[in-house]
Amino acid sequence: MDSSLSTSTTMLTCSSKLHHHPPRSFRFLSFSLPIFRKLGICPKFLSKSPNLTVRSSSSITAKPSWEFQKKGRGQEQDNKLRALREIFTRPGVNVDAYIIPSQDAHQSEFIAECYMRRAYISGFTGSAGTAVITKDKAALWTDGRYFLQAEKQLNSSWDLMRAGNMGVPTPSQWLNTVLAPGCRIGIDPSTPSKFRAWEQFLFSSDAAKEFKEDISKGNHELVFLYDFNLVDKIWKESRPNPPKEPIRLHDLKYAGVNVSSKLSCLRSELRNAGASAIVISMLDEIAWLLNLRGNDIRHSPVMYAYLVVEIDGAKLFVDDTKVTPDVMEHLTNAGIELRAYESILSEIESLAAHGANLWLDTSSVNAAIVNAYESACYKYPWDSATKSRRKRTANLDSNGQSGGPCAVYRSSPVSLSKAVKNDAELEGMRNCHLRDAAALAQFWAWLEDEIQRDVVLTEVEVADKLLEFRSHQDGFLDTSFDTISGSGANGAIIHYKPESDSCSTVDGKKLFLLDSGGQYIDGTTDITRTVHFGEPSARERECFTRVLQGHIALDQAVFPENTPGFVLDAFARSSLWKVGLDYRHGTGHGVGAALNVHEGPHSISFRFGNITPLLTGMIVSNEPGYYEDHHFGIRIENLLYVKEEDTPNRFGGIGYLGFEKLTFVPIQTKLVDISLLSVAEVEWLNSYHLQVWEKVSPLLDGSARQWLWNNTQPIAKL
């Protein structure tokens, strides 16, 4: 599954700072390059875990949005816009425009239903996007993964802004153009009382500050609306309730490192950075650090919480109704106190009152927390030298305290530590990928048989059947994202989600793209295969083969240590570029171990701002593609992990790295134009299929085993 991920950078200042992080919310508000500095790396702890017992078992011009709009939806969305605009002039609001982001208060990519405000107001359900509404206009920004989906879902009242395309303004540029000077632009920092315990600011500190600066060029004012969220005011009682699912333990045999060791490592980082405390708000970072998993967000095994770690203690801010006795004992043993989720700001102010130097990752921590700390720093009678903190670094005593509170602005050290998997995490990922491959073999054998018998199946029915096969595997918990099941033209919608009332049937005479994944107790999977059930055209075979060549090139890449992922992106595109083709998404994203299917800080992408190096133990997807709008889509995706390579030379005295495959599912050879492949590429494909057979066949029997045999036979170049 494709993802657009960015990295953040490291900087130590007091109170005031440069824009050193690319925003995680407002991700379409600016494409400016930040200032980058080297990331510090927290040591990892390695511990091998026992295996889990496994049961045998040429582009076309896009049409305008309204040509795709479903009957009836347009009026509903217009009514919502009209109701929202009526609130603009109310006392206490008085705004000329309103910004609605995709994220929750933790800058999550996938969010709970009660926070899907942008989807509610616009009808666009993609995971990434920003809606901007004025008194007479409405515009939505999203990236290339979602252009076709947005065309279908937005009605004619909305302007689709294809972020990243030549000539497309950012939201701030657009507002500076369409609004007269001196307007008020609202963003939402809080929620109504029913939900106040669940959310503070929807925007990261960096995003809010950057946007404020940008709109000031048009003499506009950024207004924080504290009393209520405008979307919630019209959503009313139909808004879903916040999640209340219980938290569960993530077993040490899968986590590999206990919580005490992780906290010790983090505290060492705090001391080295001159910080006495850190606030962590990214949900997957909290889950990883505490060896806990949740079920608050569909597909993502995380829970809504904040975590404050100090030199001599830690506090978890969470709804305590989710904390089971086992989890409570686990937290107590690790020295972690429980606090109410809604008390996080009080704790931040208390830290400042006690002179704590707080580590803040302003690319992810919301503006409410950053503002609360920075404001509290000025409330207390520190000397004038302390109050002028811009050029001062922290002077800590033996307890990690300074003469006055001082912010340490840096990337979260947990992000990189989590991305570098230990032996137990890698073992769990290997094991769950084999079980997942067995489920996919069973599924493909079933689907091919159904298509050959002319059974009519919808894209949704196919996705549901795949879920059924996966659910029979040991350790299966959930899908890792909504299955992308696209036949023909729907395959060109990069993040297509079939709906039962509007999806297509699977056409045996067209390409079929299936991008899916599973959450298992020991790991997370993500795989895409594109197949044809009939006779593919020469054009389809050429495009598929060029995508395959890019996939092979990246899989075989060998590169020096400290190489950032963007350096490798061209490997996957080269064969397409030779004939003037390309794709609009990144080539690879990080993947969590029994965690989020998309994780940073690393990626493989044409977005060269991310300079995070690929490190041994990181997991990344390899998923080049090609899409002809309204005709077909092609993507081939495996997960890989970074490993050391034994090269005959070590130029400059440094080591070299490469990749090892985690995914073992056949690639359909019917779609391969062998004349385009080199001998080495044919050998790669045959070798891969031999590995697939050897690793997965012991888990299968009957028709699924026969299908695997048929689809792993070697091919020969004439």
Side-chain angles (χ1 to χ4, degrees):
M1 184 186 184
D2 326 297
S3 172
S4 297
L5 294 175
S6 60
T7 187
S8 50
T9 60
T10 303
M11 177 176 289
L12 173 62
T13 69
C14 294
S15 182
S16 180
K17 61 187 178 298
L18 298 172
H19 291 300
H20 53 283
H21 300 290
R24 297 193 194 185
S25 69
F26 267 60
R27 63 182 64 181
F28 303 110
L29 297 189
S30 174
F31 289 89
S32 58
L33 292 178
I35 300 170
F36 290 97
R37 286 178 170 82
K38 187 176 180 181
L39 291 167
I41 301 171
C42 178
K44 66 173 182 173
F45 300 83
L46 303 180
S47 175
K48 195 170 183 74
S49 74
N51 293 343
L52 181 73
T53 301
V54 181
R55 292 181 297 189
S56 295
S57 32
S58 80
S59 299
I60 296 171
T61 303
K63 297 179 182 180
S65 306
W66 58 87
E67 292 191 22
F68 295 95
Q69 186 60 44
K70 287 171 52 180
K71 185 177 181 180
R73 178 186 287 173
Q75 186 60 48
E76 178 186 350
Q77 299 308 133
D78 285 346
N79 289 340
K80 292 176 182 177
L81 284 174
R82 189 178 302 110
L84 186 75
R85 286 167 173 147
E86 288 174 356
I87 305 175
F88 281 14
T89 56
R90 289 188 185 181
V93 181
N94 189 25
V95 296
D96 301 283
Y98 191 59
I99 314 296
I100 306 169
S102 297
Q103 290 79 19
D104 55 22
H106 302 265
Q107 313 310 307
S108 308
E109 178 186 18
F110 301 121
I111 60 179
E113 289 185 7
C114 60
Y115 302 134
M116 295 180 180
R117 299 180 175 97
R118 190 224 60 226
Y120 172 79
I121 196 69
S122 69
F124 168 64
T125 59
S127 67
T130 299
V132 183
I133 300 169
T134 70
K135 292 179 178 179
D136 59 356
K137 297 180 185 297
L140 182 132
W141 278 256
T142 191
D143 64 40
R145 298 171 296 163
Y146 294 105
F147 289 168
L148 295 185
Q149 179 178 339
E151 285 177 0
K152 282 191 170 186
Q153 294 181 328
L154 296 176
N155 73 4
S156 58
S157 296
W158 288 84
D159 292 326
L160 173 57
M161 299 295 183
R162 296 171 174 82
N165 278 8
M166 189 71 67
V168 176
T170 64
S172 56
Q173 292 169 339
W174 183 78
L175 285 167
N176 287 341
T177 300
V178 303
L179 295 180
C183 286
R184 288 163 53 90
I185 300 168
I187 65 173
D188 172 53
S190 64
T191 63
S193 57
K194 177 182 177 183
F195 292 88
R196 189 172 299 280
W198 283 91
E199 190 152 13
Q200 302 294 333
F201 278 147
L202 298 180
F203 305 98
S204 74
S205 177
D206 280 356
K209 290 185 177 182
E210 182 176 356
F211 189 64
K212 182 178 181 180
E213 290 180 4
D214 288 344
I215 63 172
S216 68
K217 297 172 185 176
N219 197 30
H220 303 308
E221 178 187 359
L222 185 64
V223 180
F224 296 99
L225 301 176
Y226 289 91
D227 293 334
F228 55 84
N229 179 283
L230 303 196
V231 175
D232 296 345
K233 201 68 175 177
I234 63 172
W235 206 347
K236 298 181 179 178
E237 295 305 315
S238 62
R239 183 185 178 195
N241 288 318
K244 293 280 188 180
E245 297 297 323
I247 300 169
R248 62 181 170 87
L249 299 177
H250 185 55
D251 200 295
L252 183 59
K253 66 181 177 181
Y254 307 130
V257 181
N258 63 40
V259 178
S260 296
S261 296
K262 291 180 179 180
L263 290 175
S264 177
C265 170
L266 178 57
R267 287 173 175 133
S268 177
E269 292 281 343
L270 293 181
R271 294 187 183 92
N272 292 339
S276 53
I278 184 172
V279 56
I280 301 169
S281 65
M282 296 295 285
L283 303 184
D284 61 333
E285 294 184 11
I286 296 171
W288 177 84
L289 189 61
L290 300 184
N291 290 346
L292 295 175
R293 297 295 186 266
N295 197 32
D296 283 353
I297 300 175
R298 190 168 174 236
H299 311 305
S300 302
V302 297
M303 60 281 178
Y304 278 103
Y306 294 99
L307 179 66
V308 172
V309 178
E310 299 177 77
I311 296 297
D312 57 356
K315 300 181 181 72
L316 179 66
F317 298 79
V318 69
D319 180 354
D320 62 7
T321 63
K322 301 177 186 179
V323 180
T324 65
D326 285 349
V327 170
M328 189 69 249
E329 182 181 4
H330 171 80
L331 292 171
T332 301
N333 291 340
I336 299 165
E337 301 176 36
L338 217 57
R339 295 289 186 273
Y341 179 90
E342 62 269 23
S343 67
I344 181 63
L345 292 186
S346 297
E347 176 67 19
I348 298 302
E349 292 170 353
S350 176
L351 287 169
H354 289 85
N357 295 333
L358 185 62
W359 185 319
L360 293 167
D361 182 345
T362 53
S363 72
S364 61
V365 173
N366 62 52
I369 289 175
V370 176
N371 291 345
Y373 179 77
E374 292 180 346
S375 297
C377 285
Y378 286 96
K379 288 182 180 178
Y380 305 101
W382 310 111
D383 59 56
S384 58
T386 301
K387 285 199 172 187
S388 179
R389 292 184 295 272
R390 296 175 180 233
K391 296 182 180 179
R392 180 170 123 9
T393 57
N395 257 332
L396 301 186
D397 61 25
S398 59
N399 295 318
Q401 301 295 315
S402 68
C406 179
V408 177
Y409 299 106
R410 290 194 176 190
S411 313
S412 168
V414 181
S415 177
L416 200 58
S417 296
K418 173 172 58 66
V420 178
K421 309 299 186 282
N422 59 50
D423 285 355
E425 291 170 323
L426 286 176
E427 185 68 13
M429 290 291 277
R430 292 188 195 99
N431 291 336
C432 77
H433 273 77
L434 293 182
R435 303 197 304 280
D436 200 60
L440 281 157
Q442 294 165 349
F443 163 79
W444 285 116
W446 166 83
L447 182 57
E448 285 191 4
D449 181 64
E450 295 290 284
I451 297 298
Q452 288 171 5
R453 294 191 296 110
D454 295 324
V455 176
V456 177
L457 295 166
T458 68
E459 295 162 329
V460 168
E461 288 171 335
V462 167
D464 289 345
K465 191 66 176 181
L466 175 56
L467 173 58
E468 179 184 326
F469 281 116
R470 276 199 169 108
S471 66
H472 294 155
Q473 294 297 322
D474 281 346
F476 178 79
L477 300 170
D478 190 8
T479 53
S480 56
F481 54 93
D482 285 322
T483 297
I484 300 169
S485 170
S487 179
N490 289 338
I493 304 173
I494 298 172
H495 272 194
Y496 173 69
K497 179 187 176 183
E499 302 286 355
S500 57
D501 62 345
S502 60
C503 68
S504 299
T505 58
V506 177
D507 191 331
K509 298 179 180 179
K510 295 179 179 179
L511 285 173
F512 175 66
L513 187 152
L514 186 75
D515 186 348
S516 68
Q519 290 287 5
Y520 294 85
I521 195 169
D522 52 341
T524 303
T525 71
D526 183 3
I527 174 176
T528 309
R529 289 294 183 265
T530 307
V531 302
H532 201 297
F533 301 106
E535 187 60 37
S537 68
R539 172 69 171 175
E540 290 168 338
R541 293 175 66 230
E542 179 189 358
C543 294
F544 181 91
T545 304
R546 292 189 179 278
V547 171
L548 175 60
Q549 287 176 304
H551 182 96
I552 294 171
L554 181 58
D555 179 270
Q556 293 184 312
V558 176
F559 47 94
E561 290 178 342
N562 300 316
T563 297
F566 76 83
V567 174
L568 305 181
D569 185 71
F571 287 40
R573 299 178 192 267
S574 179
S575 184
L576 289 164
W577 284 352
K578 288 176 181 177
V579 291
L581 301 179
D582 204 351
Y583 50 96
R584 297 188 186 107
H585 57 76
T587 299
H589 58 84
V591 179
L595 260 177
N596 290 356
V597 73
H598 294 157
E599 74 167 18
H602 59 294
S603 68
I604 298 176
S605 174
F606 56 89
R607 297 173 181 88
F608 54 85
N610 188 344
I611 62 169
T612 306
L614 296 177
L615 304 174
T616 302
M618 282 181 168
I619 294 173
V620 66
S621 65
N622 173 7
E623 50 180 313
Y626 174 68
Y627 312 88
E628 290 201 352
D629 294 356
H630 313 303
H631 279 231
F632 65 80
I634 297 166
R635 186 159 64 249
I636 304 171
E637 176 185 17
N638 283 352
L639 297 192
L640 313 169
Y641 66 89
V642 182
K643 64 170 186 175
E644 295 180 359
E645 288 286 344
D646 184 16
T647 54
N649 303 291
R650 298 172 71 89
F651 182 80
I654 63 173
Y656 281 73
L657 306 175
F659 296 114
E660 188 70 43
K661 286 177 277 292
L662 286 168
T663 308
F664 293 97
V665 174
I667 296 168
Q668 192 179 59
T669 55
K670 179 201 298 186
L671 276 166
V672 176
D673 183 345
I674 299 178
S675 68
L676 294 177
L677 295 183
S678 68
V679 172
E681 289 168 335
V682 171
E683 290 176 352
W684 180 94
L685 187 57
N686 289 338
S687 174
Y688 176 63
H689 281 156
L690 178 60
Q691 292 179 69
V692 170
W693 172 253
E694 291 176 343
K695 291 176 179 291
V696 181
S697 62
L699 307 180
L700 298 171
D701 55 23
S703 61
R705 183 180 173 91
Q706 185 61 50
W707 178 89
L708 191 72
W709 172 260
N710 295 342
N711 284 272
T712 54
Q713 293 306 295
I715 60 174
K717 187 172 178 65
L718 300 178

